Amino acid sequence: MIEFVFAPDDAARVRFAFSPLLELVRSVRVLADPSGHALHLPWVHGVRPRLRGLDMAPLMAAVPAWGYIPDFLTPPPGTPLPDLDAELEIVRSTPPEVVAAELRWTERGNRAGPERLAMAAEPERTLETLVGLLERYWAAAVEPYWPRLRDLLEGDILRRARALAAHGTAGVFGDLHDDVSWRSGTLRVDRRWEFRGELLGRGLLLVPSAFVWPNVSVMVPPYQPMLSYPPNGVGTLWETGRDQGAGSHALAALIGRRRAELLTALATPASTTELAARMGVTAGAVSQHLGVLRACGLVTGHRLGRRVLYARTPSGDALAAPAQR
């Protein structure tokens, strides 16, 4: 069991971020054991042909199908909207002794496998190999899907930031994951290893991750305390369409087919670009329909950096609910 003990000022320091690097590393685990991550099978089938000719062996050795992933490969993001190049620079700057120690470490005192031990014996060379491989793997396996993933992650951050403002810490942790519970100022995470400690004013970093599904992952000091969890709506991540039921037809009759599709698609917040790709129409057409939905008070836009993410309002949720049953 992992237990983070919150002081009053720690609750005020709960913050959110997402991490392209975390998605990248976690996706390696999905490839290693697709049966344990059935939700992502459409992605696995689409990616495997792209990886032909890429030697994934060092990365697969560093990121096993289960158990401990070396922490230096997933440093806690330092900004709410990090980019992959900046995160890879952090990995590149990892001291060799840290690389070696984390490659040798395993849960429950088991001996690291021969591949990991060989990598730990040459930490500088290993680090160079892994960073270069991560760059090539990103271009082949994750970057083509990144707009969809990013919208999902940003949408979850938006949703939970609103819950934090409205209901406090308990409102954020209440439906985070079945393995996560909050009681009397202590956050408990059901894991196979033990840790209990105070946050000591560092707060907690919450990082949604599509590829961590169906589990959660935890990082403890000396790193920034971090909890990674599946974002809301991850179950629909790879959907390309759905049959319309009676509720969908009724909604389409009321506001028009395209606007009904948009309102239904915004069960999780998304950008104009992602909505256009998902629906097979132009971004201009999506913008026009969103303008009408905004004027009717059914959706709202939230600026995140240079992008605008659209989400349903409570009125939009109420109108769309019968169509999604």
Side-chain angles (χ1 to χ4, degrees):
M1 179 71 70
I2 308 300
E3 295 186 325
F4 290 120
V5 181
F6 281 62
D9 57 343
D10 289 314
R13 290 188 173 92
V14 172
R15 59 190 179 90
F16 303 88
F18 68 88
S19 166
L21 181 58
L22 180 65
E23 291 302 304
L24 183 62
V25 171
R26 280 282 166 177
S27 74
V28 175
R29 173 161 285 181
V30 173
L31 279 177
D33 180 24
S35 64
H37 307 270
L39 173 68
H40 297 302
L41 284 177
W43 172 82
V44 172
H45 294 320
V47 158
R48 277 180 169 164
R50 297 170 177 264
L51 297 178
R52 291 173 186 150
L54 184 61
D55 181 12
M56 292 287 291
L59 201 48
M60 291 288 191
V63 183
W66 60 274
Y68 173 68
I69 297 175
D71 289 328
F72 73 85
L73 288 173
T74 57
T79 66
L81 303 172
D83 67 80
L84 181 66
D85 289 341
E87 291 189 299
L88 287 175
E89 283 304 313
I90 295 174
V91 176
R92 280 192 180 95
S93 66
T94 307
E97 62 272 19
V98 173
V99 174
E102 292 186 357
L103 284 169
R104 292 189 182 105
W105 193 89
T106 61
E107 294 177 346
R108 301 182 182 181
N110 296 326
R111 180 178 172 80
E115 299 90 350
R116 290 270 286 264
L117 291 175
M119 295 167 73
E122 298 182 282
E124 294 95 338
R125 180 179 178 181
T126 293
L127 198 59
E128 180 181 352
T129 297
L130 289 177
V131 171
L133 188 52
L134 283 168
E135 289 176 326
R136 295 190 296 276
Y137 174 62
W138 166 266
V142 179
E143 188 174 25
Y145 305 94
W146 182 238
R148 179 181 298 196
L149 287 160
R150 181 182 57 197
D151 278 357
L152 179 70
L153 302 177
E154 289 181 343
D156 188 83
I157 289 174
L158 175 63
R159 174 179 176 269
R160 296 196 184 278
R162 288 156 64 181
L164 179 63
H167 306 292
T169 311
V172 173
F173 296 133
D175 65 345
L176 202 68
H177 193 274
D178 289 344
D179 290 343
V180 178
S181 61
W182 169 262
R183 187 173 62 188
S184 303
T186 298
L187 184 70
R188 294 177 174 84
V189 186
D190 187 8
R191 297 285 86 189
R192 293 191 300 266
W193 48 287
E194 300 289 329
F195 174 84
R196 177 180 171 86
E198 298 180 350
L199 294 176
L200 301 175
R202 302 179 72 179
L204 181 69
L205 182 61
L206 296 177
V207 182
S209 167
F211 287 111
V212 81
W213 182 93
N215 302 307
V216 295
S217 81
V218 182
M219 187 171 285
V220 301
Y223 290 91
Q224 164 67 46
M226 180 175 80
L227 173 62
S228 179
Y229 62 92
N232 184 60
V234 67
T236 64
L237 178 60
W238 307 117
E239 287 186 0
T240 56
R242 64 178 69 186
D243 294 333
Q244 285 196 334
S248 296
H249 288 300
L251 182 61
L254 179 65
I255 63 174
R257 181 173 64 87
R258 284 299 187 195
R259 289 168 195 162
E261 290 175 353
L262 271 174
L263 199 61
T264 303
L266 286 173
T268 54
S271 66
T272 301
T273 303
E274 170 58 21
L275 289 167
R278 206 184 303 176
M279 296 173 62
V281 298
T282 66
V286 169
S287 294
Q288 290 180 8
H289 290 306
L290 285 173
V292 175
L293 293 173
R294 290 186 71 173
C296 294
L298 300 177
V299 304
T300 184
H302 302 269
R303 182 165 292 279
L304 295 172
R306 297 180 180 179
R307 303 170 63 250
V308 176
L309 216 60
Y310 291 92
R312 291 194 311 227
T313 64
S315 296
D317 286 336
L319 189 60
Q324 295 181 304
R325 288 174 186 162

